[in-house]
């Protein structure tokens, strides 16, 4: 499963990139608004750090506006992917975008039928939001299972990005189901490698090593 980071914060992106396991970035208007920097400038900086797909979202609600914003956004860098909402207007925009070779990421996906239609329209990626479904007492991961099954039924190549991930179990479940990608906030990425037994184990090894050194130096032996 590929790992994308879900942020527009450069420090977080740089730190995660150093881990050597980052495959791409997803942004949205809320995440870019937090940075208080001109979005095009920020997106360019992000694309300079990460060579994989970087999603940038259109704001327009009608298909013509979406297509024209998409054409502006792709000028930022060759790895920009256009995020389009799962609406009828988004669907109408998808055909033109995919026939122009523009990669798309259909966002705010909350149903398998949305996922099927955007795939038929040529979506490169679809982003089902699991956390926001959990928030309203719907099993977010059931949506991932459904989309995965439907895409397999019809050998659809649209890639599933599990989005709105809130904790490591979302990430783990996404991998169990076989989602193509998980887009994960930095705080959750950090937790993925954390284990208290690893920390306790390291401490114990270091303590024992120190004791050995002490014992050997007491006997006049260097190690
Ligand atoms: O990738 C979508 C994500 O940014 C939404 O996450 O936590 O606002 O539901 P959240």
């Amino acid at each position: 499963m590929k790992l994308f980071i879900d942020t527009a914060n450069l420090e977080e992106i740089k730190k995660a990139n150093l881990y050597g396991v980052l495959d791409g970035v997803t942004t949205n208007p809320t995440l870019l608004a937090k940075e208080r920097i001109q979005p095009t400038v920020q997106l360019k900086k992000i694309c300079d750090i990460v060579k994989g797909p970087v999603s940038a979202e259109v704001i327009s609600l009608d298909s013509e506006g979406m297509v024209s914003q998409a054409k502006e956004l792709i000028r930022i860098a060759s790895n920009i992917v256009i995020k389009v909402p799962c609406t009828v207007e988004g669907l109408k925009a998808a055909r033109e975008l995919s026939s122009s070779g523009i990669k798309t990421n259909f966002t705010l996906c909350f149903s398998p039928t949305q996922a099927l239609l955007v795939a038929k329209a040529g979506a490169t990626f679809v982003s089902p939001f699991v956390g926001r479904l959990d928030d309203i007492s719907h099993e977010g991961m059931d949506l991932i299972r459904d989309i995965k099954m439907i895409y397999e039924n019809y050998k659809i190549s649209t890639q599933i990005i599990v989005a709105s991930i809130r904790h490591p179990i979302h990430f783990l479940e996404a991998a169990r189901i076989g989602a193509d990608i998980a887009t994960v906030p930095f705080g959750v990425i950090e937790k993925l490698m954390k284990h208290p037994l690893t920390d306790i184990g390291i401490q114990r090894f270091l303590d024992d090593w120190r004791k050995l050194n002490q014992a050997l130096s007491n006997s006049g032996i260097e190690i």
Side-chain angles (χ1 to χ4, degrees), residues 12-161:
E12 291 182 349
I13 293 168
K14 281 182 199 159
K15 276 189 204 160
N17 202 34
L18 287 176
Y19 297 174
V21 289
L22 195 61
D23 299 299
V25 180
T26 51
T27 69
N28 62 37
T30 304
L31 294 172
L32 280 162
K34 278 190 200 161
E35 301 308 314
R36 302 198 165 275
I37 293 174
Q38 210 281 331
T40 309
V41 172
Q42 189 72 354
L43 286 163
K44 174 78 180 91
K45 287 181 180 169
I46 295 171
C47 290
D48 288 342
I49 300 168
V50 178
K51 296 302 157 209
V54 173
S55 289
E57 191 157 343
V58 294
I59 301 301
S60 186
L61 298 180
D62 61 89
S63 61
E64 291 82 8
M66 288 174 185
V67 171
S68 104
Q69 285 180 359
K71 287 185 176 163
E72 285 299 311
L73 286 168
I74 57 158
R75 291 168 57 181
I76 296 171
S78 58
N79 51 335
I80 286 282
V81 170
I82 303 302
K83 244 180 168 181
V84 180
C86 282
T87 59
V88 166
E89 289 301 310
L91 204 56
K92 280 156 64 183
R95 280 257 167 258
E96 187 170 342
L97 294 174
S98 64
S99 65
S100 311
I102 296 174
K103 291 188 174 153
T104 51
N105 172 3
F106 276 78
T107 188
L108 293 166
C109 174
F110 293 101
S111 78
T113 52
Q114 288 177 322
L116 179 53
L117 290 201
V118 300
K120 282 175 68 69
T124 317
F125 304 100
V126 65
S127 289
F129 277 31
V130 294
R132 292 195 195 181
L133 281 170
D134 289 353
D135 288 345
I136 57 159
S137 305
H138 284 251
E139 287 282 353
M141 282 298 164
D142 284 351
L143 175 58
I144 306 302
R145 281 185 202 93
D146 279 349
I147 298 173
K148 172 91 177 139
M149 179 180 66
I150 291 165
Y151 282 8
E152 280 176 1
N153 285 348
Y154 299 105
K155 302 196 178 2
I156 286 169
S157 61
T158 302
Q159 295 175 57
I160 304 169
I161 304 180

Side-chain angles (χ1 to χ4, degrees), residues 172-187:
L172 175 62
E173 276 298 299
R176 281 184 176 140
I177 295 166
D180 301 285
I181 301 150
T183 189
V184 185
F186 182 68

